[in-house]
Amino acid sequence: MKATLLDTVHTRFDHVETEALYAVATMLDPRYKDKFFTNATNLDQAKETLKVEVKKMEQELQAMPSGKGVVENKTARQTPGREAGSSTSSLGSYFDEILGESRTAGPSEQQITPGAVFQLESYLGEPPAGGKSNPFHYWRDNQSRLPALAATAAKFLSAPCTSVESERLFSTASLIIDEHRSKLTPEHLEVLVFVRKNLPIMLRLQSGGANN
């Protein structure tokens, strides 16, 4: 059973480190960074992909009008944010154990420079933030020191998608289609589903407008 489970995990997830979205998001999570890649080739590829994304973001920030976007504050020298909270889970403890084996000393404050490549090297050279830290709080606290990286993190560390609404949509269609509606065309089904999902919204809007 263990062998079957392990084989299934490898079959499903062996390729995940080569997916750019996953790799960049993992690197930009201050709790993990580059410490959990199982393949050196995949790690090098992930670093190159992240470097390209950070350079692109830095160019976008430079093209923004003055006063917009993430602005670098050269006097800010903040340390990675660590949030106090509940105790680390057993899985988090396991991650911390792995990190303890590969922890390296970070660069000095004088080595931090505004260039995209140097921001990346500074970020990866620092110890991971740990299981108790909130990645969004980390980037909020360090955006002035690592502006291009913080903006890239805001792009890649978005809320995960959900299939709830699509599943509800399929359920609505299954309620409309039954054996007594054998002549229902796909076009009419689409209209009925649209009305079913959007009519309550329109009624609420009309009710709100009437109250105003």
Side-chain angles (χ1 to χ4, degrees):
M1 184 179 66
K2 292 181 180 179
T4 302
L5 180 60
L6 182 60
D7 182 65
T8 303
V9 170
H10 284 309
T11 301
R12 290 178 179 270
F13 298 106
D14 265 354
H15 67 286
V16 72
E17 291 184 1
T18 62
E19 295 182 5
L21 180 61
Y22 168 84
V24 173
T26 301
M27 297 274 285
L28 288 173
D29 192 319
R31 297 169 297 177
Y32 310 133
K33 298 188 178 182
D34 58 347
K35 307 303 181 185
F36 292 98
F37 285 83
T38 59
N39 185 294
T41 302
N42 293 341
L43 174 58
D44 292 339
Q45 182 179 350
K47 287 183 177 180
E48 290 302 317
T49 303
L50 177 57
K51 188 180 298 184
V52 170
E53 292 295 335
V54 173
K55 286 183 178 179
K56 290 193 316 187
M57 184 58 66
E58 187 181 49
Q59 293 173 355
E60 293 179 11
L61 293 176
Q62 292 175 350
M64 286 183 178
S66 178
K68 294 184 178 181
V70 180
V71 181
E72 181 183 9
N73 181 2
K74 295 184 179 180
T75 62
R77 291 293 182 264
Q78 300 175 351
T79 56
R82 293 175 181 266
E83 298 297 323
S86 59
S87 60
T88 310
S89 65
S90 58
L91 183 59
S93 300
Y94 179 66
F95 284 162
D96 290 339
E97 182 180 346
I98 298 176
L99 291 175
E101 298 174 356
S102 58
R103 193 176 299 275
T104 56
S108 65
E109 296 292 341
Q110 289 75 16
Q111 291 176 306
I112 299 175
T113 61
V117 176
F118 295 100
Q119 288 184 44
L120 180 58
E121 292 176 350
S122 173
Y123 165 71
L124 294 179
E126 296 170 350
K132 294 182 181 180
S133 117
N134 186 317
F136 299 107
H137 293 171
Y138 173 92
W139 289 115
R140 178 197 63 192
D141 296 338
N142 290 276
Q143 66 177 9
S144 59
R145 183 171 64 90
L146 307 169
L149 273 173
T152 308
K155 175 181 177 181
F156 281 88
L157 296 182
S158 58
C161 60
T162 174
S163 62
V164 172
E165 285 301 324
S166 61
E167 291 175 0
R168 288 175 179 171
L169 190 63
F170 284 119
S171 297
T172 300
S174 68
L175 293 174
I176 295 174
I177 301 174
D178 59 32
E179 59 184 6
H180 300 294
R181 289 180 169 178
S182 58
K183 293 185 178 181
L184 185 63
T185 64
E187 292 76 14
H188 288 161
L189 173 62
E190 182 178 356
V191 171
L192 290 174
V193 172
F194 180 85
V195 172
R196 175 64 182 84
K197 299 299 290 185
N198 291 279
L199 183 59
I201 300 175
M202 296 180 65
L203 292 176
R204 286 198 301 269
L205 292 175
Q206 292 179 353
S207 176
N211 293 334
N212 292 334

